[in-house]
Amino acid sequence: ENEMDRELIEVHTCDMCGGDIEHKKDEHGNVYWNGGHNAYPLHEGRCCDTCHLDVLSARFAEAGIRV
């Protein structure tokens, strides 16, 4: 197991809700990303998939786009 594999196993915490950030896996079940999403403009840091929906809505609103 190399350092990159160990880093991908780590579970990160959502800076918005405090829940776990989901691991993204390929078709073989291998984790390729565990860093979540950029939480700006609602929060500084990273967020989970669920909170990311609120982040996207806020970004659209800032851009004047109604969803």
Side-chain angles (χ1 to χ4, degrees), residues 1-66:
E1 184 176 34
N2 63 38
E3 185 178 337
M4 186 174 165
D5 290 338
R6 283 190 299 276
E7 289 176 6
L8 287 175
I9 292 170
E10 183 179 354
V11 176
H12 296 281
T13 302
C14 176
D15 292 316
M16 290 179 62
C17 73
D20 291 345
I21 290 179
E22 301 84 355
H23 288 173
K24 302 297 182 193
K25 298 179 181 181
D26 65 17
E27 65 274 3
H28 304 290
N30 301 310
V31 176
Y32 64 87
W33 181 251
N34 68 346
H37 307 276
N38 182 349
Y40 178 83
L42 297 182
H43 204 281
E44 200 170 301
R46 309 299 293 173
C47 66
C48 65
D49 289 349
T50 301
C51 291
H52 191 238
L53 297 174
D54 293 333
V55 170
L56 290 175
S57 294
R59 289 180 186 166
F60 286 132
E62 279 189 348
I65 300 170
R66 293 183 59 200

